[in-house]
Structure formats: C-alpha cells, structure tokens
Amino acid sequence: MITVPLHAVAHARTGDKGNRLNVAVIAHHPDVWPALTDQVTEARIAALFAHRRPTAVRRYLLPNLHALNLVIDDVLEGGVNAALNLDGHGKTLSFLVLTLPVVVPAEALAAVRATLDARAHRP
C-alpha cells in the first residue's frame, strides 16, 4: 500500500451555485475506485474544509463512472457575486480536495500511471 495525494489517482471537475460547491472526483483507473469510496468520505472532506466552516457535506457515488460527487455547503464566502475574494468560486477549491492523502495498492497506482502514460502518448 502506498500513500499518495488524491491528484495522483484521480482528477476533479467543479461547479458552484451560490454558496454551494460541487466537486466531482473521477478515478484515473477503475482499480483505485475502492480506495476512493473508502477514503474520500464526507467526514474527511468536512475536516479538509474546516477552515471554511462548511454547514454540510454530501457525497454521491457514481460507480459506473468510477467517480463521486461532493456537494459542500457554505464554503464560497457567499458565492461568486457576493464574495470579496477575487476567486471565491469552486475551481480553486478542487485543488484542495485533490491534496487529500489516500492509501492505494501499489498495483492500482501502477495501473493509473500506465493509463496516464498511454493517454499522454496518443497520436
């Protein structure tokens, strides 16, 4: 087993609506899907965002896509139009999610790396 940041085995897409952040986390390879479902939990995401004081974190599993969707309430400083922060919306916060440490089997990490290498060398 190897501990890596989430971005080593998955990527993310984000959206925001008002003060609600939506982060989809998508496994680079099906072999890491069990680790994502076990470790990218509502409690761990709430702890990761504790400095922004989320009022709720909900996780929705999308097993056919090897993905999960996180909905995090009240972390966008009122939303894009209300925040004084120049970038108070979700895109930058997906990078925070991708820093979450996860433990994966070495074989799954090798499968991810092979998949990413193959994608990089497509004509």
Side-chain angles (χ1 to χ4, degrees):
M1 300 297 275
I2 299 172
T3 301
V4 296
L6 184 57
H7 68 78
V9 296
H11 65 281
R13 299 286 297 168
T14 61
D16 49 69
K17 189 70 170 176
N19 205 19
R20 178 172 288 154
L21 172 63
N22 177 44
V23 181
V25 177
I26 306 104
H28 285 307
H29 193 277
D31 288 357
V32 298
W33 171 242
L36 296 185
T37 60
D38 289 345
Q39 298 173 57
V40 183
T41 64
E42 292 171 347
R44 286 191 76 199
I45 296 300
L48 190 65
F49 281 88
H51 65 287
R52 289 186 166 261
R53 297 179 297 284
T55 58
V57 176
R58 289 175 304 286
R59 180 182 81 158
Y60 301 94
L61 300 179
L62 304 163
N64 291 337
L65 300 174
H66 303 109
L68 51 92
N69 191 46
L70 302 164
V71 179
I72 309 164
D73 288 341
D74 301 313
V75 295
L76 298 177
E77 299 175 354
V80 174
N81 293 329
L84 295 175
N85 185 346
L86 291 176
D87 196 9
H89 54 285
K91 293 192 186 325
T92 57
L93 295 176
S94 69
F95 293 105
L96 177 59
V97 172
L98 292 174
T99 66
L100 187 73
V102 292
V103 179
V104 298
E107 300 82 16
L109 185 58
V112 167
R113 289 179 176 159
T115 297
L116 293 176
D117 188 49
R119 288 180 190 162
H121 291 99
R122 284 187 187 157

